[in-house]
Amino acid sequence: MQDDDVQAKLAALREQYRLRLTHDLQTLLAQTRELSTHEQGIDPESLQTLRQGLHRNAGSAGTFGYAKLGSEMRELELWLQTAMESAIAPSPPMLTAMHHRLEEILRELLETPDDAVGESRESQELASGEREVQIAVMAGELSDHLVQSLQGFGYACRKLASCHEQAPESASAQAPESMAVDALIVDAARIDESQWKATLEKMPSAMLILLSDEGGFDARLHAVRHGAQGFFNHPVDLPSLERRLRHLINLPQQEPYRALIVDDDVELAEHFRLTLKSAGIESRVITEPQAVLQGLRDFVPDLVLIDINMPGCSGPELARIIRFDDDWLKIPLIYLSAESNAKRQAQALAQAGDDFLVKPITDVALIAAVTARAQRSRQLSLALARDGLTGLIKHPAIKELIEIEMARSQRADTSACVVMIDIDCFKSINDTYGHATGDYVIRLLANLLRQRLRRVDHVGRYGGEEFVAILPSCTLVQARDAIERIRQSFAGLECVAGTQTFRASFSAGISCTRDWTDADALLEAADRAMYQAKQRGRDRVCLALAEAESPRGPDV
Amino acid sequence: MTILQRILHVEDDPSIQEVARVALEIVGGFEVQSCDDGYSALERASEWQPDLILLDVMMPGIDGPTTLARLREQAETRDIPVVFMTAKVQTGEIEHYRAIGALDVVVKPFDPMTLAAQLRTIWERAHAG
């Protein structure tokens, strides 16, 4: 049985469980509320029922990925049990306290993104071992704004007061010793250097990001000398700050680089392969030049290493053959050669090819050269398929993905959803605050979508202020819940334009592959639903329901 | 040694019953039957003769330990090994279950991806000695 299949089944069970958990928590809330009004003592039977309700979920929540919630329920269960077994029976105030705790647990459950929405295994594994990213902010009067905005992006963020700020909460907001903080954001103009340095010392794993009023070279040099890994000028561009944080804290797990080695010297090629492998670079060896096109298609490398002297076909000839094909135009072609004559090297490069590595080459030099070029090649191909402003997938690529997902979900008989999102009154934002602010709002939403959707989801920028998301293995209701949460977060974000602040919102329409027969109809349906959301007053999510006269029967 | 193949899962919580079925049938490749309570477990165990019974401790009706005692009273089920599943609450609980005759104890919450391997290890350890 396929692993994916198990994961899909588990995800479906998790989803059911989440519904049940919500229901159980509501029942427990009603029970504790009721019992907390019993002034005349509480009957043991009701307490036993309450305890069973807690116990049942304390034991099961962890199995479905809600470990934290499970242990919170376990705590409450133990609390109740201890009270029940002691001479002092549980009292109404204790049940009131329990009621409040349960309320918090339920709120937290409702606010966390639905992990069960067809989570991929990768993210399930993450969920079990993951902790929240912790960010501390020391930025004087700007702290609140930063904290609030970063929380909107899903970070656990809190402000640390400085000594000369006699904020009432300063006592509780002081950094505890060796706090596990991932990043400390410091406003260098508003916080004394000695002070933030002392705080930073207590956070051995924290990365430092400095905010400054000065934008010059000296200020940057100063930041670098203080070990800062990020530097921003006021007013801080939030999406860039968020991107920097994500980059610093959560370097995405990259696919290994792939190199295709074309060399008729089997042993040497094998040596290169092993050397690259030791550095985590995957490679495939081709000893016959004729096989190179097939190798490119099958292996899809990030770069090609070509021996310059091969029988039957020279390196430069082969490079030109590769370049005939548009698909391989962007792949770096690197010659490997004993040729140290600069003139001949230049001649080879003039024909085709991007660089020369001279044999014999040390392992370290080979790895460094391949890594640097593969990295560059990846960045380039990513940039080509992505929108410059938001880093999201561009229009043509996202349409292709919709077609792929449509076919996939029909084949596997699962459902996927397409979401069309449009920022409300975008023209008036542009007119009021200028185009730079409009771009800022677009990036804000792009980052939020990227952050809040699952890794298996695709997000693209469809047009000016229009976005499309594709959510595989997801029902209409799950998609609505996920997008609804994003809508709320976005509407709550404070956008900054110079000294002014404002709020933006979006309208969204969602359609499901089960209800439509082809990709165009699916996308149009999502678009219609989005317009419906606009007509109903914007800042809302509408679903595209299948038309009653053409239901998708089992044979369609 | 007998190969572990048939597992009877006794559990009153339907969500746990379902996820354990995925964990044992699909991930583990075992044959699985499920019962909602101790009484039906007593009947099913004597009819179906599983290799192992995975028994939840806290159930309405008769609880896990009582069910274990009854299983030991019936001739047809006397020798079927029992593994308890518990959301451990008290210290010493696990030692207690071993003392009253459980082969071992699986702690809730369990990980659906490793439950089968856990049972297999328990089984092999019991048969190695």
Side-chain angles (χ1 to χ4, degrees), chain A residues 177-216:
Chain A
E177 296 296 321
S178 67
M179 204 162 85
V181 167
D182 298 283
L184 175 67
I185 300 177
V186 171
D187 186 336
R190 287 167 183 80
I191 306 290
D192 286 347
E193 196 170 298
S194 59
Q195 205 168 20
W196 64 254
K197 277 189 167 169
T199 308
L200 190 65
E201 273 173 22
K202 293 184 196 158
M203 306 172 173
S205 58
M207 266 152 317
L208 177 66
I209 292 182
L210 281 179
L211 314 180
S212 167
D213 289 328
E214 319 254 332

Side-chain angles (χ1 to χ4, degrees), chain A residues 92-125:
Chain A
M94 174 178 164
L95 283 153
T96 308
M98 192 174 275
H99 182 80
H100 291 318
R101 280 288 296 280
L102 286 165
E103 266 179 342
E104 277 168 38
I105 294 173
L106 178 61
R107 188 177 323 124
E108 213 171 304
L109 175 67
L110 294 177
E111 281 171 4
T112 30
D114 190 349
D115 291 335
V117 187
E119 272 296 69
S120 67
R121 187 173 61 142
E122 162 192 49
S123 30
Q124 265 181 11
E125 278 169 358

Side-chain angles (χ1 to χ4, degrees), chain A residues 332-358:
Chain A
L333 305 175
I334 295 152
Y335 297 120
L336 275 168
S337 158
E339 183 61 76
S340 55
N341 181 315
K343 198 173 160 202
R344 287 220 208 114
Q345 282 191 7
Q347 277 170 354
L349 286 177
Q351 293 194 46
D354 301 285
D355 212 343
F356 242 98
L357 293 177
V358 179

Side-chain angles (χ1 to χ4, degrees), chain A residues 301-525:
Chain A
D302 293 299
L303 61 80
V304 186
L305 292 171
I306 304 171
D307 179 23
I308 209 157
N309 292 313
M310 287 180 293
C313 171
S314 78
E317 281 168 344
L318 187 63
R320 285 171 62 196
I321 292 172
I322 293 173
R323 289 286 190 243
F324 280 151
D325 200 332
D326 284 351
D327 289 350
W328 313 121
L329 274 178
K330 60 179 193 281
I331 290 195
L333 305 175
I334 295 152
Y335 297 120
L336 275 168
S337 158
E339 183 61 76
S340 55
N341 181 315
K343 198 173 160 202
R344 287 220 208 114
Q345 282 191 7
Q347 277 170 354
L349 286 177
Q351 293 194 46
D354 301 285
D355 212 343
F356 242 98
L357 293 177
V358 179
K359 293 195 270 194
I361 180 168
T362 66
D363 292 353
V364 177
L366 178 72
I367 290 167
V370 168
T371 305
R373 284 164 184 84
Q375 193 175 14
R376 186 84 192 115
S377 151
R378 282 253 174 116
Q379 283 169 346
L380 275 175
S381 55
L382 207 64
L384 285 174
R386 302 217 167 231
D387 170 57
L389 181 66
T390 60
L392 297 180
I393 305 164
K394 281 183 190 166
H395 187 142
I398 194 94
K399 277 200 85 166
E400 213 170 283
L401 282 170
I402 292 175
E403 275 165 23
I404 292 169
E405 278 308 327
M406 181 93 201
R408 197 210 305 269
S409 70
Q410 282 173 343
R411 200 170 51 234
D413 198 25
T414 58
S415 70
C417 289
V418 165
V419 190
M420 188 74 102
I421 295 170
D422 191 90
I423 298 176
D424 294 327
C425 308
F426 186 71
K427 189 172 177 305
S428 105
I429 295 174
N430 267 339
D431 292 348
T432 315
Y433 305 103
H435 287 280
T437 304
D439 284 354
Y440 157 83
V441 172
I442 285 173
R443 277 157 59 194
L444 205 59
L445 179 55
N447 277 319
L448 194 65
L449 287 169
R450 220 183 344 232
Q451 171 116 18
R452 290 295 180 83
L453 292 172
R454 302 163 302 169
R455 285 181 198 199
V456 290
D457 298 331
H458 309 288
V459 199
R461 185 166 174 220
Y462 201 65
E465 68 274 22
E466 228 176 357
F467 296 79
V468 176
I470 309 168
L471 319 179
S473 319
C474 181
T475 65
L476 212 46
V477 172
Q478 291 166 340
R480 187 203 51 209
D481 289 351
I483 299 300
E484 178 56 27
R485 275 190 292 268
I486 297 175
R487 183 195 64 75
Q488 287 172 14
S489 301
F490 185 63
L493 280 181
E494 201 154 81
C495 306
V496 187
T499 53
Q500 292 167 287
T501 61
F502 64 96
R503 284 173 201 267
S505 64
F506 68 72
S507 302
I510 308 176
S511 60
C512 177
T513 51
R514 281 202 190 280
D515 302 325
W516 312 94
T517 44
D518 64 70
D520 286 340
L522 180 69
L523 194 58
E524 277 165 27

Side-chain angles (χ1 to χ4, degrees), chain A residues 76 79 94 113 120 173 210 221 223 227 271 299 410 460 471 492 532-533 545:
Chain A
L76 289 179
W79 194 26
M94 174 178 164
S120 67
L210 281 179
L221 182 63
H271 170 78
F299 188 63
Q410 282 173 343
L471 319 179
Q532 204 173 29
L545 300 175

